[in-house]
């Protein structure tokens, strides 16, 4: 059964690798050689050999996952992530006449964790602010917008130069002071 599983093409890859560890050990290879052939660590090879020796074929299977099951399904997690990609309902959009008008006056102008959690609850996903944060951090999704005051689309806007105003000069650059290294005697 182990030899057949080691050569299987349709079985789970981790189970096939574990069976190959056992099969290669039966062929007389040492732990270091098995690890080199399979591209894994020698501790991994020892672990699965000991487990197979203790439990037999059942030792190659994964153990049941312990802990609390996830409250949200993968579909609900995906829907929370998809919310970030949508335009917030309160963000102003430029109309044909050039005026900025939000689609929903009461909606948030940008996504915050509170706004995302509220929108998720509105769509039927019972999730809190901290869980939204954990989901987004785990997936590497950015929900914060860049600061709008750093750039302006106004043609008459003049950015500030080095100082904060014309009357505040920029800090002069001077050579760093250094103390003498000898006492001069």
């Amino acid at each position: 059964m182990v030899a057949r599983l080691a050569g299987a093409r349709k079985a789970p890859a981790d189970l096939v690798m574990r069976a190959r560890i056992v099969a290669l050990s039966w062929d007389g290879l040492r732990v270091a050689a098995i690890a080199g052939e399979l591209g894994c660590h020698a501790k991994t090879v020892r672990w699965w050999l000991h487990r197979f020796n203790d439990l037999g074929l059942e030792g190659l299977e994964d153990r049941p996952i312990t802990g609390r099951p996830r409250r949200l399904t993968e579909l609900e997690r995906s829907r929370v992530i998809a919310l970030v990609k949508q335009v917030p309902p309160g963000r102003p959009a430029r109309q044909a006449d050039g005026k900025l008008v939000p689609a929903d006056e009461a909606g948030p102008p940008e996504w915050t964790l509170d706004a995302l959690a509220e929108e998720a609850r509105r769509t039927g996903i019972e999730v809190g602010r901290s869980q939204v944060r954990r989901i987004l951090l785990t997936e590497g999704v950015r929900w914060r917008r860049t600061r709008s005051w750093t750039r302006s689309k106004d043609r008459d806007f003049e950015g500030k130069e080095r100082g904060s105003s014309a009357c505040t000069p920029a800090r002069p650059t001077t050579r760093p002071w250094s103390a003498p290294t000898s006492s001069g005697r």
Side-chain angles (χ1 to χ4, degrees):
M1 184 68 174
V2 172
R4 197 169 70 203
L5 187 59
R9 292 179 166 269
K10 301 275 183 174
D14 52 353
L15 192 61
V16 170
M17 187 184 97
R18 295 167 194 166
R20 288 188 66 202
I21 288 173
V22 173
L24 289 173
S25 74
W26 286 347
D27 291 342
L29 272 80
R30 296 250 185 222
V31 170
I34 295 171
E37 173 139 350
L38 297 178
C40 62
H41 199 274
K43 282 185 178 182
T44 306
V45 173
R46 279 191 208 94
W47 165 261
W48 288 111
L49 286 174
H50 285 292
R51 191 142 160 225
F52 178 77
N53 289 336
D54 292 342
L55 301 173
L57 197 56
E58 291 177 7
L60 300 180
E61 295 282 339
D62 287 327
R63 288 187 176 150
I65 296 173
T66 60
R68 180 180 172 195
R70 287 186 165 183
R71 263 186 344 108
L72 297 178
T73 64
E74 284 300 317
L75 178 63
E76 291 172 330
R77 291 172 61 90
S78 297
R79 287 175 42 201
V80 169
I81 293 167
L83 282 176
V84 177
K85 303 298 182 193
Q86 295 176 2
V87 177
R91 181 173 296 161
R94 197 163 298 277
Q95 301 295 321
D97 59 355
K99 291 184 180 180
L100 289 174
V101 178
D104 179 15
E105 291 282 334
E110 60 183 40
W111 288 126
T112 62
L113 292 174
D114 290 324
L116 286 167
E118 182 62 36
E119 185 67 20
R121 281 192 295 270
R122 194 179 65 70
T123 60
I125 303 171
E126 283 302 315
V127 65
R129 177 185 193 275
S130 61
Q131 192 168 10
V132 169
R133 180 179 181 275
R134 278 194 305 270
I135 291 169
L136 297 179
L137 286 176
T138 301
E139 298 298 324
V141 177
R142 292 182 51 97
W143 68 91
R144 299 178 192 104
R145 286 186 54 216
T146 56
R147 301 292 183 228
S148 60
W149 60 80
T150 59
R151 291 184 295 287
S152 176
K153 294 181 182 176
D154 187 8
R155 292 186 201 124
D156 298 330
F157 178 77
E158 291 184 27
K160 297 179 181 179
E161 296 300 323
R162 263 189 78 131
S164 59
S165 68
C167 63
T168 307
R171 178 180 288 163
T173 56
T174 60
R175 282 186 356 154
W177 178 81
S178 62
T181 55
S182 64
S183 61
R185 292 186 195 185

